[in-house]
Amino acid sequence: MSADEVVTHSFVRDIPISGGRTLALVTLDNGRDHTRPNTLGPVTLLEFAGALDALKLRADRGEIHGVAITGKPFILAAGADLSKVAEIPSREVGKLLTQLGHFAFAKEATLGVPSFVFINGLALGGGLEIALNADYRTVDANVPAIALPEVFLGLIPGWGGSYLLPNLIGIENALKVVIENPLKNNRTLKAADALELGIADVLFPSARFLEQSIAWADGVIAGTVQVSRPNVPGKIERLVKWDAAVGIARKMLTNRIGTVARSPYVALDLLQAAKSGTAAEGFAREDDALADLISGDQLQASIYAFNLVQKRAKRPAGTPDKVLARPIGKVGVIGAGLMASQFALLFVRRLRVPVVITDLDQARVDKGVAYIHNEIATLESKKRISADEANRLRALVTGTTDKADFADADWVIEAVFEELGVKQAVFAEIEQYVSPETILATNTSSLSVEQIGANLTHPERLVGFHFFNPVAVMPLIEVVNTPSTNEVTLSTAMVVAGKLRKNAVITRDTPGFVVNRLLAKLLGEAMHAVDTGTPFEVVNGALAPFGLPMTPFELLELVGLTVGAHVLDTHHGAFPDRFFESTNLHRLAEHGAILSRDAKGRVTGFDKKAVAIVAGGTTPMTGAEILARIEDGLADEIKRMLDDDVVHAAEDIDLCMILGAGWPFQMGGITPYLDRVGASERVFSATFHSPAIRGVASVAQLT
């Protein structure tokens, strides 16, 4: 047990109901405000179990006729405290914690009187499993988030969720909640979703939620309220649909994420097994599965990644004081193409200030403004913004070919062709019109920001502001700090990034910054292997242990083969001893494809012409050779970046790769993986993290 556990207490009070009966109401409350949700540690679980034991004795004596559980305002519970899970020293202790959860929650079903959970607020993981273990559930109409997010974090719902949920709402619905939603960036359910799926039996408005929940429970106890559950699986679903649905989900998972991540497949196996057997058998399977995952590498890596995104991303290293930031009252965007238009839309939505775009001619400007207006209309049609808000946003967006319209802009960002001379020219022109204090931002992905500003009169107000595509979705901005960039400019850039609801990492002005430099290393090695005669298929297979969301050749096609070739050329020019250029990639760019696809855009193999283009290499590599080259190459490059202070710590490298390149949580980003596979020690005789981030099972094997 942890001495510093923030205990969620179980406070019990009696509520008189009809017929002289009594409902015991248990309120879960850790004594903190809504910013510190109720969590479920060992002391909390033991106190909860003790409270239910006392209530069972009262029920046996006829003193109470039902038990209801609810949470403090806005919160039921947010599940286990992950910081405590990360400290579990062995598989055996991990299994004890899973068994303790089952021990406590199972008491809800053995009280001898009906049990209810009133879902009054946030219910995640173990918080939702408290509700699933009860006989009945109500939900507040305004509950914003109900979910079983464990798979996202390298776990499984292990306190009843993997068995109880499919037997309550059916296998297809359970697959959506347990596997599909967590893998869609932890999508959560609203109250109405929980009602529709059958997780909740009834929904009540917030204003009288507790009062109406008590009245409804009174009706259930009295027999005047009948509960219907149409989604509970019947015999036909168990015989026919169950295994088929799991099989489809398994194939979807394999195609989408590969087979490296363990927890989704463990969850699938548990959901499949839940179609038969007793709850006790299902809970025992959960205990074993969760103990295995808790003691493995992927959970520790996932918790490390989770803490980066939840904590370090909110306090970026090297950020100047916010008070230095200049207020932004108007934004200028140079360019009216797709990327520039996405910038303009994001700035107007988040900052709610006038945004003006410009381009070479009026036709391009008009096209850009029309695109932005159409996107605003789409948001309105999907009811994500109101009609009034849509009108206000449209009125804030204008286009011009007259650079004088930028004179009162406080922030100007360019999104023009990725060529040094072009970017230098547009900034030199715009500097004639704007004030000396206007912040200038470049979205370059690989050029030197310092060189872009070489001809500026005031280079101190230039900063790199590198978005990732699609702009609205990708959460990372690399804020590039040049030797000339002053603290006011850097502070303003970080504040603006925050207002755009993006996570920003400050990097030095070096080729590729963080994400593109490491992707250039990976993709350059992949293309080098192809150039020397290695089949595309062998390269794909070699990189499977990384667990990446797509193969290197899918990634190349996503960013554009021409762009990819340019990025490799840029890095080869900067670091010719470590980065390869690829003539074949330029030829593939001219052809326009590496992969063959069906009518729906799904990959079916490799394009025959692409295979012919790269033919001729005489020194093919094995998969093992490719994997070792890439692992060692990445370890070497990251060590050089840290020695050169491109970013402040390995954690910032991982944060960039997770948020900017979709590097898997269960790998912990990139540096924990390189430590675990031995690449760090092979390259520089040490590790990025000390101790290395690995599971207790792996630690035991090493000692």
Side-chain angles (χ1 to χ4, degrees):
M1 293 184 190
S2 176
D4 62 347
E5 177 183 337
V6 177
V7 178
T8 297
H9 295 289
S10 298
F11 298 103
V12 181
R13 61 187 172 113
D14 289 352
I15 307 292
I17 55 177
S18 66
R21 290 182 287 262
T22 299
L23 176 71
L25 180 66
V26 181
T27 301
L28 304 176
D29 193 340
N30 63 4
R32 308 293 180 89
D33 66 19
H34 68 280
T35 63
R36 180 63 191 257
N38 294 331
T39 51
L40 308 170
V43 177
T44 296
L45 292 171
L46 287 171
E47 182 177 320
F48 181 73
L52 293 188
D53 283 341
L55 290 173
K56 177 170 173 50
L57 290 175
R58 294 185 64 201
D60 291 344
R61 294 195 297 264
E63 296 173 7
I64 60 171
H65 305 85
V67 173
I69 301 162
T70 193
K72 68 180 184 180
F74 312 113
I75 305 286
L76 179 59
D81 185 339
L82 284 178
S83 66
K84 302 298 176 263
V85 172
E87 295 169 3
I88 290 172
S90 67
R91 184 188 185 281
E92 291 70 28
V93 173
K95 187 169 181 177
L96 287 174
L97 180 61
T98 70
Q99 290 173 325
L100 179 57
H102 279 130
F103 167 78
F105 292 176
K107 294 180 182 293
E108 296 175 52
T110 58
L111 290 165
V113 294
S115 58
F116 304 82
V117 170
F118 302 156
I119 306 173
N120 67 305
L122 182 85
L124 303 177
L128 178 54
E129 286 171 305
I130 291 174
L132 293 174
N133 277 273
D135 298 323
Y136 304 96
R137 288 153 292 280
T138 71
V139 65
D140 185 313
N142 285 337
V143 172
I146 296 171
L148 293 173
E150 287 87 348
V151 162
F152 179 77
L153 296 169
L155 295 167
I156 49 95
W159 285 339
S162 298
Y163 176 84
L164 295 171
L165 189 67
N167 284 294
L168 177 68
I169 66 174
I171 185 61
E172 290 182 337
N173 288 334
L175 286 166
K176 177 179 179 181
V177 175
V178 174
I179 295 174
E180 182 181 334
N181 284 356
L183 296 180
K184 287 184 175 177
N185 291 320
N186 252 343
R187 180 177 292 178
T188 59
L189 304 172
K190 305 289 188 189
D193 302 321
L195 179 67
E196 182 180 355
L197 289 172
I199 294 172
D201 295 309
V202 64
L203 178 150
F204 295 119
S206 295
R208 300 180 61 227
F209 172 69
L210 182 58
E211 180 184 347
Q212 289 185 276
S213 292
I214 292 169
W216 185 83
D218 184 3
V220 171
I221 292 167
T224 59
V225 170
Q226 301 299 314
V227 178
S228 173
R229 291 178 177 159
N231 291 340
V232 171
K235 187 174 182 180
I236 293 177
E237 177 172 341
R238 295 181 190 278
L239 289 174
V240 178
K241 185 189 294 186
W242 202 288
D243 288 345
V246 172
I248 292 169
R250 194 178 301 275
K251 184 176 180 181
M252 178 273 293
L253 269 182
T254 302
N255 290 337
R256 185 175 165 199
I257 67 168
T259 57
V260 174
R262 289 187 61 205
S263 60
Y265 293 97
V266 175
L268 264 184
D269 292 341
L270 290 171
L271 291 171
Q272 185 166 23
K275 75 173 182 177
S276 59
T278 65
E281 292 168 339
F283 296 168
R285 288 192 295 267
E286 291 178 356
D287 288 338
D288 283 327
L290 197 52
D292 288 342
L293 291 170
I294 284 173
S295 61
D297 290 337
Q298 292 190 3
L299 174 64
Q300 296 300 330
S302 293
I303 291 174
Y304 165 79
F306 180 79
N307 286 332
L308 288 183
V309 172
Q310 293 297 313
K311 296 175 183 177
R312 190 174 183 89
K314 293 175 172 56
R315 294 185 291 275
T319 304
D321 195 321
K322 290 182 180 180
V323 301
L324 298 174
R326 288 210 173 96
I328 304 300
K330 181 177 177 179
V331 170
V333 180
I334 304 174
L338 180 59
M339 184 66 87
S341 298
Q342 290 183 71
F343 291 166
L345 179 64
L346 181 65
F347 276 93
V348 76
R349 284 196 69 199
R350 299 296 183 228
L351 302 188
R352 306 298 176 91
V353 299
V355 174
V356 57
I357 67 172
T358 188
D359 213 311
L360 296 174
D361 55 59
Q362 193 63 44
R364 297 185 200 200
V365 170
D366 291 344
K367 183 178 179 182
V369 172
Y371 169 86
I372 298 162
H373 285 186
N374 287 337
E375 290 296 302
I376 292 170
T378 300
L379 292 169
E380 181 185 357
S381 69
K382 292 181 177 179
K383 301 193 182 323
R384 292 175 61 185
I385 59 175
S386 67
D388 286 345
E389 185 176 0
N391 288 333
R392 283 196 297 271
L393 293 178
R394 276 190 286 265
L396 288 170
V397 178
T398 57
T400 184
T401 57
D402 185 356
K403 305 302 189 297
D405 291 345
F406 279 58
D408 56 345
D410 304 297
W411 173 282
V412 175
I413 185 168
E414 65 78 19
V416 298
F417 188 68
E418 188 76 349
E419 189 173 294
L420 181 60
V422 175
K423 292 183 186 289
Q424 287 176 331
V426 297
F427 275 139
E429 181 185 11
I430 212 70
E431 194 175 30
Q432 301 173 40
Y433 296 96
V434 299
S435 78
E437 289 76 34
T438 299
I439 306 296
L440 302 180
T442 172
N443 181 53
T444 183
S445 59
S446 60
L447 299 174
S448 165
V449 177
E450 184 179 17
Q451 288 181 29
I452 289 172
N455 300 329
L456 290 175
T457 305
H458 295 284
E460 72 280 357
R461 41 90 166 267
L462 177 66
V463 65
F465 209 67
H466 179 218
F467 286 88
F468 293 81
N469 205 14
V471 170
V473 175
M474 297 300 287
L476 179 69
I477 294 176
E478 290 175 324
V479 174
V480 185
N481 185 20
T482 80
S484 300
T485 305
N486 65 22
E487 294 248 304
V488 170
T489 300
L490 192 60
S491 175
T492 305
M494 296 301 286
V495 169
V496 168
K499 289 182 177 179
L500 296 177
R501 302 181 193 173
K502 300 293 186 183
N503 298 117
V505 174
I506 297 173
T507 85
R508 275 193 60 214
D509 185 20
T510 59
F513 316 128
V514 174
V515 174
N516 282 347
R517 182 164 167 179
L518 294 180
L519 289 182
K521 186 65 182 175
L522 186 150
L523 296 175
E525 290 286 354
M527 277 308 305
H528 176 66
V530 170
D531 293 342
T532 56
T534 311
F536 287 122
E537 295 90 339
V538 174
V539 178
N540 274 354
L543 292 179
F546 280 109
L548 297 174
M550 60 182 68
T551 69
F553 307 110
E554 287 176 298
L555 179 58
L556 275 170
E557 286 198 346
L558 178 68
V559 301
L561 300 181
T562 301
V563 172
H566 173 72
V567 169
L568 294 194
D569 289 347
T570 300
H571 284 82
H572 175 71
F575 311 114
D577 57 325
R578 304 197 308 275
F579 285 79
F580 295 103
E581 59 184 346
S582 174
T583 302
N584 276 335
L585 185 53
H586 283 277
R587 294 169 63 201
L588 289 168
E590 291 177 9
H591 170 56
I594 296 177
L595 303 163
S596 59
R597 300 175 184 270
D598 62 18
K600 293 184 178 179
R602 293 173 299 200
V603 175
T604 57
F606 291 94
D607 182 88
K608 291 180 179 178
K609 179 80 180 291
V611 173
I613 286 172
V614 302
T618 57
T619 55
M621 302 181 204
T622 66
E625 289 171 333
I626 296 166
L627 180 61
R629 278 185 64 95
I630 292 176
E631 288 174 347
D632 290 2
L634 289 169
D636 176 65
E637 206 60 39
I638 292 169
K639 181 66 164 57
R640 292 172 185 270
M641 292 163 73
L642 293 174
D643 289 346
D644 199 29
D645 201 31
V646 174
V647 291
H648 292 280
E651 287 81 356
D652 297 315
I653 298 275
D654 292 318
L655 190 59
C656 286
M657 298 308 287
I658 290 166
L659 297 178
W663 216 267
F665 254 56
Q666 79 271 2
M667 293 296 163
I670 186 169
T671 64
Y673 169 85
L674 295 173
D675 286 348
R676 288 195 303 273
V677 299
S680 310
E681 292 193 14
R682 291 196 299 267
V683 171
F684 58 91
S685 302
T687 54
F688 291 110
H689 303 275
S690 183
I693 296 165
R694 60 172 74 246
V696 292
S698 296
V699 172
Q701 291 166 10
L702 293 173
T703 56

